[in-house]
Amino acid sequence: MSAELLDRALVEEAAKKSGLLWVRSDGGRDHALWHAWVGDAVVVVGDGGEQPLGGLAEGVNAVVTLRSKDKWGRLVAFRAAVELLTPFTAPWQAAVDELKTKRLNSLDHEGVTDRWAAESRVLRLVPQGLSVENPDAMPDSDHAAVPVPTAATTREPVPEGLPRLLLRRKKKR
């Protein structure tokens, strides 16, 4: 078997088994997305009340990273061409049919097709060439990213009376 066929088989198998992938569009940040494998490409749905797709758009080049199902570590990464699927065409319908089975906790399972057609984008991420990372060629870097700047905080001063409330013992009668 050729290296290209083995590489394509690894990408397909990893995409079919993992429910989560990371996508980085040209110069952007990695975004975790749930997805499905349809035909020869990964499909994702987003925006309009679904997962945010970040900078993904038709014609943009992206790098898709898939994890190992059993170890959850990075398994393979490949370059992908992004295609926007037109609602109610045959490729769009095939993608939506598969994505509906992967969509967890949908409030309107019966109406999700119409909602995705009206409000969301369904994108197809088609692998291009050999993978850029695979078990035989992993980078030395840890892929750590600086957290996104935000005004949100989780640390506030402890209210003055809280320690007494937490440490208060029941009085004996």
Side-chain angles (χ1 to χ4, degrees):
M1 252 189 188
S2 74
E4 189 172 323
L5 287 175
L6 287 173
D7 190 69
R8 188 56 52 107
L10 175 63
V11 167
E12 182 175 346
E13 195 63 24
K16 285 181 177 178
K17 288 190 176 185
S18 180
L20 188 67
L21 55 74
W22 286 263
V23 179
R24 182 179 62 249
S25 55
D26 295 328
R29 299 180 64 87
D30 285 318
H31 288 83
L33 301 172
W34 60 271
H35 69 284
W37 180 267
V38 177
D40 60 347
V42 169
V43 291
V44 296
V45 62
D47 299 335
E50 293 294 335
Q51 61 190 342
L53 294 176
L56 282 181
E58 186 169 32
V60 170
N61 292 318
V63 174
V64 178
T65 304
L66 294 161
R67 67 181 182 172
S68 165
K69 183 177 180 174
D70 56 346
K71 305 223 188 255
W72 292 20
R74 190 172 62 236
L75 180 63
V76 64
F78 61 92
R79 287 187 181 84
V82 180
E83 299 173 358
L84 176 65
L85 299 178
T86 305
F88 300 111
T89 60
W92 183 88
Q93 194 62 53
V96 167
D97 289 344
E98 187 64 27
L99 286 164
K100 279 174 47 175
T101 66
K102 305 286 185 180
R103 176 64 166 103
L104 302 176
N105 305 325
S106 179
L107 297 175
D108 61 340
H109 188 71
E110 296 304 318
V112 75
T113 301
D114 293 330
R115 184 168 55 83
W116 285 351
E119 301 173 3
S120 300
R121 294 183 296 146
V122 178
L123 300 176
R124 189 167 177 262
L125 308 173
V126 183
Q128 303 292 305
L130 292 174
S131 61
V132 293
E133 293 177 15
N134 61 52
D136 295 329
M138 284 292 178
D140 292 332
S141 65
D142 60 5
H143 285 277
V146 177
V148 177
T150 178
T153 63
T154 57
R155 193 80 169 142
E156 294 285 330
V158 176
E160 197 171 309
L162 184 62
R164 280 180 284 179
L165 288 173
L166 295 175
L167 301 173
R168 180 172 62 183
R169 297 181 189 191
K170 290 186 177 180
K171 295 182 180 179
K172 294 182 181 179
R173 292 184 184 195

